[in-house]
């Protein structure tokens, strides 16, 4: 039985940071450990936290806004670090784990000050600003992609490829395999644009579909996530084309929709890319051009290089280019199945387990373990001496 240890997790206030933290917390709790999580008010409002996990809010300033903003941020971080040191002394974690975002900074600085082992997990293919600030002082850097940017060369030996934790419902899709597509079967297209949808997808995808041959349109089913302001316009376009389409601002049953999809058109957020790779679904990616450090462009490199996806920079995401790719994938025998297999080769479905293993490996053994090991060693030495004496007689 695994000995109970305490682990402190710290994450920024977005779903991209919080959901991997929740996944790790759930796995550690299932292994018999206690977990506390630090974030800001925004982060702790994100649903999905394990009920057994305790939560804390600590000050953490965002480093922006010029000299005055920097001073305010420094003061907030300093206050948060002092409070985090008190929390660490009280909770006594074996390891601290940061998931990026400024709210994770005070806790990881406090872990360094109290000489606790620490890990950072990077969800994107570009090491984020907070994780870059912390990289030199942590024991391990868990990454989600084989190609990682902005990792300091001196920290290369700390890199561990774990992947991004993915929901069990998505991993189950991988086990089911790719949905069959007979020559005259229904071709199912899923279009997702991140948490709020993307207007560029609402404009380009229906225009691309309008260029497809009638025989393919008659076989096509579309589920598309749209911004509220775009929904009626997109619905009308599909109705004019005679295409079966369902449009919504949020896809409630995303795992089930992904299960039957033959091709996905999507932005390239870390969670989206990880889920498509784990499920084994070919994709057309349109990285968000204003993402920090252009990380979405780098998020798709592994899948594109493997042949499981294509990526268009937003200016190149035109109706003609998209129509050409959809038609080739839908009509060329074996194209979808081959791309699906290549996409799945990039998936890391054991990310939650592997991340938990990494974190546990940095935890010093509890004192009772040390006592038991020491006692066992003493007994072994005593037995060995006794056996040697007996043999000598």
């Amino acid at each position: 039985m695994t000995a109970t240890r305490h682990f402190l997790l710290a994450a920024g206030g977005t779903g991209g940071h919080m959901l991997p933290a929740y996944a790790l917390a759930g796995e550690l709790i299932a292994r018999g450990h206690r977990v506390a999580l630090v974030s800001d008010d925004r982060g702790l409002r994100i649903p999905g936290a394990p009920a057994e996990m305790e939560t804390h809010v600590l000050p953490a300033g965002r480093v922006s806004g010029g000299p005055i903003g920097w001073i305010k941020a420094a003061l907030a971080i300093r206050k948060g670090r002092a409070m985090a040191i008190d929390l660490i002394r009280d909770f006594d974690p074996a390891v601290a784990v940061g998931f990026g975002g400024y709210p994770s900074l005070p806790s990881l600085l406090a872990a360094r000050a109290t000489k606790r082992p620490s890990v950072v997990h990077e969800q994107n293919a570009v090491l984020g600003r907070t994780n870059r600030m912390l990289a030199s002082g942590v024991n391990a850097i868990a990454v989600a992609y084989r190609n990682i940017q902005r990792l300091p060369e001196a920290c290369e030996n700390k890199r561990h490829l774990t992947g991004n934790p993915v929901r069990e419902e998505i991993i189950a899709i991988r086990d089911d395999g790719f949905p069959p597509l007979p020559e005259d079967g229904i071709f199912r297209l899923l279009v997702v644009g991140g948490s709020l949808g993307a207007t560029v997808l609402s404009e380009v995808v229906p225009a691309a579909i309008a260029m497809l041959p009638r025989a393919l349109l008659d076989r096509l089913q579309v589920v598309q996530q749209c911004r509220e302001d775009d929904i009626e316009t997109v619905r009308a376009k599909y109705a004019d084309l005679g295409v079966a389409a369902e449009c919504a601002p949020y896809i409630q049953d995303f795992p089930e929709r992904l299960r039957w999809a033959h091709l996905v058109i999507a932005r390239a957020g870390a969670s989206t890319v990880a889920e498509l790779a784990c499920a084994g679904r070919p994709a057309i990616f349109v990285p968000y051009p204003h993402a920090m450090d252009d990380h979405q462009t780098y998020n798709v490199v592994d899948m594109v290089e493997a042949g499981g996806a294509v990526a268009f920079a937003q200016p190149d995401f035109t109706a003609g280019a998209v129509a050409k790719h959809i038609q080739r994938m839908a009509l060329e025998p074996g194209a979808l199945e081959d791309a699906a297999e290549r996409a799945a080769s990039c998936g890391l479905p054991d990310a939650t387990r592997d991340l938990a293993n990494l974190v546990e490996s940095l935890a010093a053994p509890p004192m009772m373990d040390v006592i038991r090991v020491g006692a066992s060693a003493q007994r072994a030495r005593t037995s060995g001496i006794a056996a040697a004496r007996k043999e000598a007689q």
Side-chain angles (χ1 to χ4, degrees), residues 7 49 134 141 153 179 205 249 260 297 328 340 343:
F7 294 91
L134 295 165
I141 300 170
E153 188 175 344
V205 175
W260 58 248
T297 294
R328 184 184 75 80

Side-chain angles (χ1 to χ4, degrees), residues 84-108:
I85 288 174
D86 289 340
L87 173 61
I88 286 173
R89 287 172 176 161
D90 179 57
F91 187 65
D92 192 26
V95 181
V97 187
F99 287 85
Y102 289 111
S104 70
L105 186 57
S107 296
L108 272 292

Side-chain angles (χ1 to χ4, degrees), residues 238-286:
Y238 286 130
D240 289 344
L241 293 169
V243 170
E246 181 181 337
C247 302
Y250 180 75
I251 300 176
Q252 295 283 353
D253 54 347
F254 178 76
E256 190 59 29
R257 300 297 190 173
L258 184 60
R259 181 185 302 278
W260 58 248
H262 295 109
L263 181 65
V264 181
I265 302 177
R267 286 295 198 194
S271 295
T272 299
V273 175
E275 290 185 337
L276 297 190
C278 278
R281 291 298 181 267
I284 299 172
F285 286 119
V286 191

Side-chain angles (χ1 to χ4, degrees), residues 139-363:
N139 298 82
I141 300 170
V143 299
Y145 299 90
R146 294 167 179 83
N147 294 289
I148 186 77
Q149 307 295 315
R150 300 288 188 94
L151 179 69
E153 188 175 344
C155 298
E156 184 64 38
N157 63 334
K158 299 180 182 181
R159 174 175 28 181
H160 299 263
L161 178 64
T162 62
N164 275 322
V166 169
R167 292 173 284 178
E168 290 297 325
E169 305 96 303
I170 302 294
I171 296 172
I173 298 172
R174 181 186 188 88
D175 297 334
D176 292 343
F178 191 72
L181 181 61
E183 186 175 339
D184 58 349
I186 299 299
F187 175 60
R188 299 182 179 96
L189 179 67
L190 177 62
V191 185
V192 289
S195 59
L196 298 175
T199 294
V200 66
L201 300 184
S202 297
E203 294 172 347
V204 173
V205 175
I209 289 173
M211 296 180 176
L212 299 177
R214 185 72 248 175
L216 181 53
L217 291 181
D218 290 341
R219 298 170 46 210
L220 185 63
Q221 286 185 357
V222 179
V223 171
Q224 182 159 348
Q225 179 195 16
C226 308
R227 291 183 183 275
E228 290 275 9
D229 294 343
D230 299 332
I231 286 179
E232 294 307 320
T233 300
V234 175
R235 281 178 180 155
K237 289 178 180 178
Y238 286 130
D240 289 344
L241 293 169
V243 170
E246 181 181 337
C247 302
Y250 180 75
I251 300 176
Q252 295 283 353
D253 54 347
F254 178 76
E256 190 59 29
R257 300 297 190 173
L258 184 60
R259 181 185 302 278
W260 58 248
H262 295 109
L263 181 65
V264 181
I265 302 177
R267 286 295 198 194
S271 295
T272 299
V273 175
E275 290 185 337
L276 297 190
C278 278
R281 291 298 181 267
I284 299 172
F285 286 119
V286 191
Y288 180 57
H290 307 298
M292 183 73 71
D293 297 320
D294 196 24
H295 64 252
Q296 289 202 4
T297 294
Y298 293 101
N299 286 352
V300 304
V301 168
D302 286 354
M303 270 185 75
V304 170
E305 288 186 348
V310 296
F312 291 97
Q314 189 157 305
D316 301 326
F317 183 64
T318 64
V322 175
K324 182 178 179 180
H325 187 73
I326 292 175
Q327 186 169 344
R328 184 184 75 80
M329 295 297 289
L331 301 180
E332 183 179 304
L336 284 166
E337 291 82 356
D338 180 64
E341 185 175 338
R342 292 171 181 271
S345 73
C346 298
L348 296 168
D350 297 322
T352 304
R353 182 202 67 187
D354 291 346
L355 181 58
N357 287 346
L358 172 63
V359 170
E360 276 190 333
S361 74
L362 294 174

